Amino acid sequence: FGLKTSFGLANESDTLLGAYTSGLLNLGAGETIYTDIEAEYNINDKVNFAARATFARTSSDVSGNFVLGLSDIKSNAFGLSANIGNLEFSISQPLAITDGALQYAYAKYDVDENSVLQIVDTHIADLALKSDVRETRFMGTYRHKFGEFTDGAFGFIYRVNPNHTSEFGNESIFMLKLSHRLGI
């Protein structure tokens, strides 16, 4: 049985949170604190089980003209896997935002009968950063060694709500791999 944990702090300087675009969309520098936990249980040389979870919290100091506020962004990822001989199975949920909101200035315009542009409505709007659905991946792989230098694999991935959206339906991916290394 093995248990690994890691903690970290990442300064968001060359990402969207650290980007500066002429003061219009300045999201300020951000900092992400993350925790990663992994547990593994090996029954024998051919059978093992693993579970992994990642939790992150990103904060930012916003100072733009249009983006008025950005809450802390919470995100996580999970995965379970089993290796049994040449077979591998896993279920995972890739990293996704679970909580966070962006606040921005909003204005609605209208043109009156004299073709004069008028501001009809101004307010501050909130945009939730969490998606309505969460991607879940199911994966199965079979690996076979054909000789000292040749091996192959057949794999299948089924993605429910790919990229955290239900707009395009689910996705199936089949993979076949055959590799041969030259012995020198």
Side-chain angles (χ1 to χ4, degrees):
F1 179 76
L3 183 64
K4 294 188 274 188
T5 61
S6 61
F7 305 94
L9 174 68
N11 187 358
E12 309 278 351
S13 60
D14 293 323
T15 63
L16 178 63
L17 288 179
Y20 181 77
T21 54
S22 305
L24 298 177
L25 191 67
N26 184 12
L27 298 180
E31 294 203 347
T32 300
I33 298 171
Y34 68 89
T35 303
D36 192 53
I37 304 163
E38 185 175 355
E40 185 176 29
Y41 181 66
N42 296 320
I43 294 176
N44 56 37
D45 290 343
K46 295 194 178 230
V47 179
N48 83 333
F49 300 96
R52 183 175 185 170
T54 302
F55 303 95
R57 183 184 188 106
T58 303
S59 59
S60 177
D61 55 341
V62 176
S63 60
N65 293 333
F66 296 123
V67 176
L68 305 175
L70 182 64
S71 71
D72 286 353
I73 300 169
K74 297 176 187 172
S75 53
N76 60 35
F78 302 101
L80 297 170
S81 67
N83 292 309
I84 305 166
N86 293 337
L87 293 171
E88 178 183 349
F89 302 100
S90 70
I91 300 172
S92 63
Q93 289 188 318
L95 191 66
I97 294 175
T98 58
D99 188 30
L102 182 127
Q103 197 173 59
Y104 62 96
Y106 175 83
K108 186 173 182 182
Y109 298 92
D110 197 9
V111 178
D112 66 10
E113 63 277 348
N114 297 328
S115 298
V116 175
L117 186 66
Q118 294 181 339
I119 298 174
V120 178
D121 180 23
T122 61
H123 63 275
I124 296 172
D126 291 320
L127 173 68
L129 299 177
K130 176 184 175 184
S131 59
D132 294 336
V133 294
R134 178 87 186 249
E135 177 179 345
T136 302
R137 294 179 188 171
F138 300 91
M139 186 191 82
T141 304
Y142 174 75
R143 292 182 174 80
H144 185 75
K145 194 161 184 73
F146 292 105
E148 186 178 352
F149 299 109
T150 307
D151 56 20
F154 174 75
F156 172 74
I157 299 173
Y158 186 69
R159 296 173 66 192
V160 178
N161 301 319
N163 300 321
H164 310 297
T165 181
S166 59
E167 188 158 343
F168 304 108
N170 299 336
E171 177 180 69
S172 300
I173 303 168
F174 293 95
M175 299 172 291
L176 180 61
K177 174 186 167 187
L178 185 63
S179 65
H180 179 75
R181 296 177 302 280
L182 296 176
I184 296 177

